[in-house]
Amino acid sequence: MRDASPQQTPQAIHLRDYTPFPFHVAHVGLTFWLAPQATRVRSEIRFEPKGPKSDLRLDGEALKLVSAAIDDVPLDLALDDTGVTVPAASLPDRPFTWTAEVEINPSENTALEGLYMSKGMYCTQCEAEGFRKITLYPDRPDVMAPFDVTIHADPSGSTPVLLSNGNPTGDGTWHDPWPKPAYLFALVAGELVAVEDSFTTRSGRDVALKIWVRPGDEGKCAYAMDALKRSMRWDETEYGREYDLDIFQIVAVDDFNMGAMENKGLNIFNSKYVLASPETATDRDYELIEGIIAHEYFHNWTGNRITCRDWFQLCLKEGLTVFRDQQFSGDMRSHAVKRIEDVLQLRARQFREDAGPLAHPVRPESYIEINNFYTATVYEKGAEVIGMLRTLIGPEAYRKGCDLYFDRHDGQACTIEDWIKVFEDATGTDLNQFALWYRQAGTPRVDVSEAWSAKEGGGTYTLTFRQETPRTPGQADKDPQVIPLRTGLLARDGRELIPEQVLELTERTQSFRFTDLPERPIPSLNRGFSAPIVLTRADSTEDRLIRFAHDSDPFNRFEAGRTLSKTVLIKMLTDGSEAPAAYLDALHAVATDDTLDPAFRALALALPSEDDLAQTLAEGDQTPDPVAIHTTRRALLRAVAAHMEPVLDPLYDAMAVPGPYTPEAQAAGKRALRSTALRLLSERDGGARAKAQFAAADNMTEQLSAFSSLLGIGQGAAATDAFYAQWSADRLVMDKWFSLQVSLAAPEDAVTTCKRLTEHADFDWKNPNRFRSTLGALAMNPAGFHDPSGDGYTLFADWLIRLDALNPQTTARMSTAFETWRRYDENRQTRIRIELERIAGTPGLSRDTTEMVGRILRA
Ligand code: TRP
Ligand code: ZN
C-alpha cells in the first residue's frame, strides 16, 4: 500500500487563499452496491453554476473510475492523484447533472477514513476529507446539499441492516432534507441490532431513537440512551434548539480513530463511548459516555445546521460544542467538580501543546493535513474562549447572541467573524481585541503584584497585573488580550470582603484599586479559572493555606491546594526536604470535612500528575527529571498516607456505597474518595484492603480502583492474572488491562512491560483503542517513557513507523508524545531527536505523520 515514489514536500493550505466553490449543489443522489473488495458507488449530482463558466474540480482519492457523464453524455476523464477536473469547455452554462460510477475497496481500508470495514460491518468516517475516498465530489464544508441514498446489501447476506443519514422513506432510500456538507455523510451496514426508544420534542413531534450495536451488546446501551434523551431536552431548554428529523440513530463500532462523529441523524461512535454496564464500565466511563453523547447530539445545531466555511473555522463548531457539552455535564452533575476536571484536562493537554512546538492559534492560518488540527487547542481552548465571552457579556447577552446566530446563519457555512459579529450586534460590545484569542497562540502569563496602604477607617489595596504571551512557532510578538478575571478578596478568617467582580485586563500592565478595606485582603484571582492563563503571584504559604481552607470559590480552593502540593513537591525535589506538617494537616482537614462534596475532596487530595510537575518546572525554566519526579511524588504519597493513617480507615468505610451500583454523580463521588483512601491505605497495609476489594468488587469502578492500587505499590501480579481470566473475552475491559499495566508500571519496568504486551496474543495493533491502550499508556508513564536509556523512545518510534503504513491519522496523533522533548536534558533530547529523525526518514511516511514530526523537530 506504500507509495514507492520519493516523498514530495507536502503543500500547505492557507486561510487567506479561500475562494468560494463556483457551483451550487442542488441535490446529491447516491446508490451503493456493497461488497468487501469491490463496492460500487453511483453518484448523481445536480450542479448549478454560480457565475461565469469555470472548470469543475472534484476531489477523489483511491477511487477506480468506471464511468462518468454530464447530462447523460459520457465523458472520457483521467483521474489525477487528488481528483478530476472537468474543463469549463465541456460544461453547459446552465444547471446540469453529473453522474459517475466508481469502485472502492472497503476491506483494504485500514486508515479508517472513507468507507471501511470493522468486524464484518461496513461503516464510514468522512470528517474531515474522507468523502473523497467514497466518490468524486467537491469535498469541502461550504458545499451543502440534500442527499438521497440507496444501499444494496452485500450479496454474502451479512448486511441485513442498511443505514444512512436522514429519514427512511419506506422504499429502501434514506432521505436527508437538510442541506449538509459531505463530511457529515454516513453509511452503516451489517448484522446489527437496535435498542429503541423515542423522544417527543417540545413542539410535540415524535422522534424515533435507535442505538445500533452488535448482537450481545443490547444490554449495554441504556445509559447512552438516557444521556441522549437528557441531551435533547437540555438543548431545547438551554439553547432553544429542537431536533429536526423523524429519527436519530447511533451506531457503535470497535475500530474508530477518535471518540465519535456527528454525522447528520446517524452518529457513529467508538464503542467505548456507548457501551456500559456496572460490571464493565467505570464511573469515569459513564461520565465520558454522557459527555460525548451530548457533544455529538449538540453538533446537530452547532456544526450541522450551521457548519464551517472551511476547515480553518473548525473551532466554530468544536469549541462551541465542547463548551455546550461542558455546560450540560455541569448541569447534570456538579459544576464545581466538572470545572476542576475540565481545567485539569486543559492544562494537561492544551497548555502542554501551547508550550511546545505544536502551538497554534485556536483558528490556525495554515495546515498541511487538516486531520492534525483536531487538537486540544481547537477543542478545549476554543471552548474556553466561549466561556470567557460569556463571562464578559453575561449569560443573558450570551443567550441573545446565540439566538441571533441560529436565526441569522441557519443553513449556512460560517466563519469565526460571523460568530463574533452576532455578539457585537446583540450587545453593542466591540469584540475586536477579544478576537485576538482566536489568532494568537500561546498561553498568556499574567504576573500579579500588590500594594497595601493601611489608613484609619479602611485601607487601600492595589492589584497590578502584567500580561505577556510567550513566543510560539511563527508568532514572535503578541498584543495584549482581553482577560476576564473573576476576583474576590478574602479576610484572614475567610470572609469575603467585597462582592465578587470581574476584572477585565486589556492592557499590558494594568492596576485595580480597592478602597475602604478593614484589613489587608488575600486575593482570590481567576475564580472558576475564568481565563485560560498561567497566573503567577508571590503568595505566601499562609495565604494559600487560608484559601485552601476557606475560599468560597471551589475551583480556587482546589487551586490553592494544588499550588501548595506543587510547591512542596518541587521543594522536596530540589533540597530533599520532607513534606511540612502544615501542608499535611491542611490535606487532612479537607479530606475529613464532611460538609464538602466527596468528589471535590477526592480531587483536592489527588497529587499533581508527574507530567503536570514536569510542565510546571519547565514553565520556571528548570529541567525536569522524570524519574526523580516519580520517586518524589511517591514519597509524598507515602508521607500523606502516614500522616493521615488514623482517618483513612474510617474514611474508606464511610465512603462505601451500599446497594447495587448506580452511575449517578453522588455515588460516583463517594467511590472516588474511597478509591483515593484505598490508594493511600495501600502504602500502609501492603495492599491487604485492595486485595479484598478486588476480590469482592461487583462493579468495574471498584475492581479497577483496587487493581490500580495494587499495581501502584508493585503488588499487582495476582490481580493481573485474575483480571485477565475474568475479562479476556471483553475487548473494552481488556483495553483497561493493557493500559493500566503499562501506565502504572515502575519506571524501570514500563518499557519491558509495554514490549511484552505488544507480543501478547490479544494485542491487536490494528485496533486504535488497543494500540492506544498499550503504546499510548507508555507515554502516560513519563518516568518509564523517558527512561534515560532511550529504550522507551525506540519502542514507541518502532510502533509509530509500523502503524503509519496502515493508519496515518492515529499515528500522527500519537506522535505528540514527543512534543515536550525540549523540556528535557541533553541526553534525552538527543535520543528523542534520533527517533524523530528516524520516523521522518521512513520511506513512504504519510503526510499526516510527516507534518507532525517535522513540526516537532523544527522547534
Ligand atoms: N467531529 C468529531 C467530533 O468532534 C470528531 C472527528 C473529527 C472525528 N475527525 C474525526 C472522529 C475522524 C472520528 C474520526 O465529535
Ligand atoms: Zn465535535
Side-chain angles (χ1 to χ4, degrees), residues 42-205:
R42 189 186 139 79
S43 58
E44 195 174 317
I45 306 166
R46 187 73 181 164
F47 286 102
E48 298 172 0
K50 284 183 189 161
K53 260 194 157 179
S54 148
D55 290 353
L56 174 64
R57 176 70 192 171
L58 301 176
D59 303 300
E61 268 171 36
L63 305 173
K64 221 189 270 172
L65 182 60
V66 179
S67 66
I70 284 183
D71 290 338
D72 294 327
V73 181
L75 293 168
D76 191 16
L77 293 172
L79 300 189
D80 56 45
D81 275 359
T82 61
V84 70
T85 302
V86 188
S90 4
L91 296 172
D93 46 19
R94 43 176 173 74
F96 59 88
T97 300
W98 155 275
T99 49
E101 231 176 278
V102 301
E103 191 184 291
I104 52 181
N105 186 342
S107 69
E108 277 196 1
N109 182 351
T110 57
L112 314 183
E113 190 184 59
L115 178 66
Y116 66 95
M117 305 199 70
S118 173
K119 302 246 163 42
M121 166 177 149
Y122 293 81
C123 62
T124 53
Q125 173 54 42
C126 293
E127 189 177 4
E129 299 180 332
F131 191 71
R132 62 189 63 188
K133 294 180 165 184
I134 294 175
T135 194
L136 289 161
Y137 194 74
D139 188 6
R140 42 187 287 169
D142 59 345
V143 173
M144 300 173 80
F147 279 58
D148 283 282
V149 178
T150 307
I151 309 164
H152 297 283
D154 184 332
S156 74
S158 60
T159 56
V161 174
L162 306 167
L163 312 173
S164 191
N165 316 86
N167 298 318
T169 56
D171 61 1
T173 297
W174 290 91
H175 173 64
D176 185 359
W178 300 106
K180 68 165 176 290
Y183 81 85
L184 292 172
F185 169 78
L187 176 154
V188 172
E191 285 183 60
L192 293 162
V193 289
V195 170
E196 306 200 19
D197 207 323
S198 70
F199 179 84
T200 307
T201 69
R202 63 170 176 181
S203 70
R205 282 186 312 99

Side-chain angles (χ1 to χ4, degrees), residues 112-113 116 124-129 183-184 256-263 268 292 295-296 299 311 314 317-318 321-322 371 374 379 809 813:
L112 314 183
E113 190 184 59
Y116 66 95
T124 53
Q125 173 54 42
C126 293
E127 189 177 4
E129 299 180 332
Y183 81 85
L184 292 172
F256 206 66
N257 279 334
M258 307 252 268
M261 180 62 213
E262 69 263 25
N263 316 297
I268 299 183
I292 296 176
H295 179 95
E296 305 311 331
H299 267 314
W311 291 120
L314 184 57
K317 73 178 178 81
E318 295 304 348
T321 305
V322 170
N371 282 332
Y374 287 75
Y379 277 66
Q809 201 177 318
R813 286 188 84 73

